[in-house]
Amino acid sequence: NLYALWTAANVNAVERLGKVTMAALAQAFELLAFIGQGALQALPLLARPHRIRWRQVAIELRRAGVAALPIVGLLIFLVGIVIAYQGGAPLQQYGAVIFIVELVSMTILREMAPLITAIIVAGRTGSSYAAEIGTMQITEEVDALRTMGITPFEMLVLPKLLALLVAMPLLTVFADIMGLLGGMVAAESLFGIGLPTFLDRMPRQLPHSTFWVGIVKAPVFAAIITAVGCFQGFRVRGSAEAVGRATTASVVLSIFLVIVADAAFSIVFNLLDL
């Protein structure tokens, strides 16, 4: 446990840093091994779709997608209002308040909608994956599945992955709409930019790739959240306290990797001039 190593009282700072670093590297290699093992088990199943548990996929899609709509919509709507207000005030001083359309649209579509959605899903859905699988580890249900000849990946991981790969792009589109709506409300009420003006200027000034840049990120974020949540769940050993630690670790690591992936996307898109 990285936290236990960092807070250990019987080691000096240098030794503590070394142990935490080695433990983090070991955990990173374990995560890569888990992803590789999962990919090897997924390929035969994807080649024979009738073996995939589609009923479970539908259940996971409702849990991860439909149930997350209210919180995603509310938060990104407020984010759109904040962006429009904070960005419009300086623009108004220079008589360029009309550029609030480009500011809100590009910020929401390219960055904030996919990133906020991924962070919410990591905290809401990824943590539930870790807690669910971790509890099954403690109650030995995972071992029971192996005894019956059912691989845990087929039963527990693949339905969650497929569901989130579908849910995340759809949630991102919904977040795009709600974020733009929040920006439009703030632009009209605070700066006098009417809804027709906003809707007319946005498609004319923004490149068509702006929308797709945000959508492309969503499946990658979904894969990261699912992999980390399930990985932390399978690592649970011992008592119920381990489930809590795994849940916390899954949220922290998922958000960290999502932000790293988002930064990598920004560099790649910049190099591709998108």
Side-chain angles (χ1 to χ4, degrees):
N1 184 280
L2 298 179
Y3 178 77
L5 289 173
W6 184 255
T7 56
N10 59 341
V11 294
N12 59 47
V14 176
E15 183 180 357
R16 183 184 298 116
L17 178 61
K19 288 185 175 181
V20 169
T21 302
M22 294 304 297
L25 290 175
Q27 184 172 325
F29 283 117
E30 290 177 12
L31 177 59
L32 290 175
F34 175 80
I35 294 173
Q37 183 181 10
L40 290 176
Q41 295 182 24
L43 291 177
L45 292 174
L46 294 177
R48 289 174 287 180
H50 63 277
R51 290 191 55 189
I52 299 175
R53 300 174 184 273
W54 294 108
R55 179 180 176 84
Q56 187 64 29
V57 172
I59 294 173
E60 295 292 345
L61 183 58
R62 179 182 60 82
R63 290 173 52 193
V66 178
L69 287 175
I71 183 64
V72 170
L74 176 61
L75 286 182
I76 198 65
F77 179 82
L78 297 175
V79 168
I81 292 177
V82 171
I83 292 174
Y85 175 72
Q86 296 292 342
L91 290 173
Q92 193 174 36
Q93 297 178 2
Y94 297 98
V97 71
I98 190 62
F99 290 106
I100 196 174
V101 176
E102 289 89 331
L103 173 65
V104 171
S105 301
M106 292 195 67
T107 305
I108 292 293
L109 295 177
R110 292 181 65 98
E111 292 295 333
M112 298 308 297
L115 189 60
I116 293 294
T117 302
I119 290 173
I120 294 172
V121 171
R124 184 185 176 279
T125 305
S127 61
S128 70
Y129 291 168
E132 176 186 341
I133 296 175
T135 302
M136 294 179 69
Q137 282 279 94
I138 292 178
T139 58
E140 299 182 352
E141 293 178 60
V142 175
D143 294 332
L145 290 175
R146 293 191 178 99
T147 302
M148 291 186 293
I150 302 174
T151 62
F153 182 87
E154 176 184 351
M155 183 74 177
L156 301 176
V157 180
L158 187 59
K160 293 177 172 58
L161 176 61
L162 293 177
L164 208 56
L165 285 175
V166 174
M168 276 292 292
L170 297 178
L171 284 173
T172 302
V173 172
F174 177 71
D176 289 338
I177 296 171
M178 295 302 296
L180 291 175
L181 183 60
M184 292 176 190
V185 170
E188 183 171 12
S189 59
L190 298 175
F191 305 106
I193 299 177
L195 183 61
T197 303
F198 199 107
L199 293 177
D200 178 67
R201 183 177 177 84
M202 182 174 66
R204 288 192 293 107
Q205 297 298 324
L206 296 181
H208 297 295
S209 62
T210 303
F211 171 76
W212 295 108
V213 162
I215 297 300
V216 165
K217 299 177 182 179
V220 177
F221 293 165
I224 291 173
I225 293 168
T226 305
V228 172
C230 295
F231 168 71
Q232 293 293 343
F234 281 118
R235 294 182 76 239
V236 170
R237 299 290 186 276
S239 63
E241 182 182 359
V243 177
R245 289 198 301 266
T247 303
T248 303
S250 71
V251 176
V252 174
L253 184 57
S254 295
I255 294 176
F256 172 76
L257 292 179
V258 162
I259 294 175
V260 170
D262 186 64
F265 272 119
S266 298
I267 295 172
V268 171
F269 290 145
N270 184 58
L271 293 176
L272 297 176
D273 198 22
L274 294 175

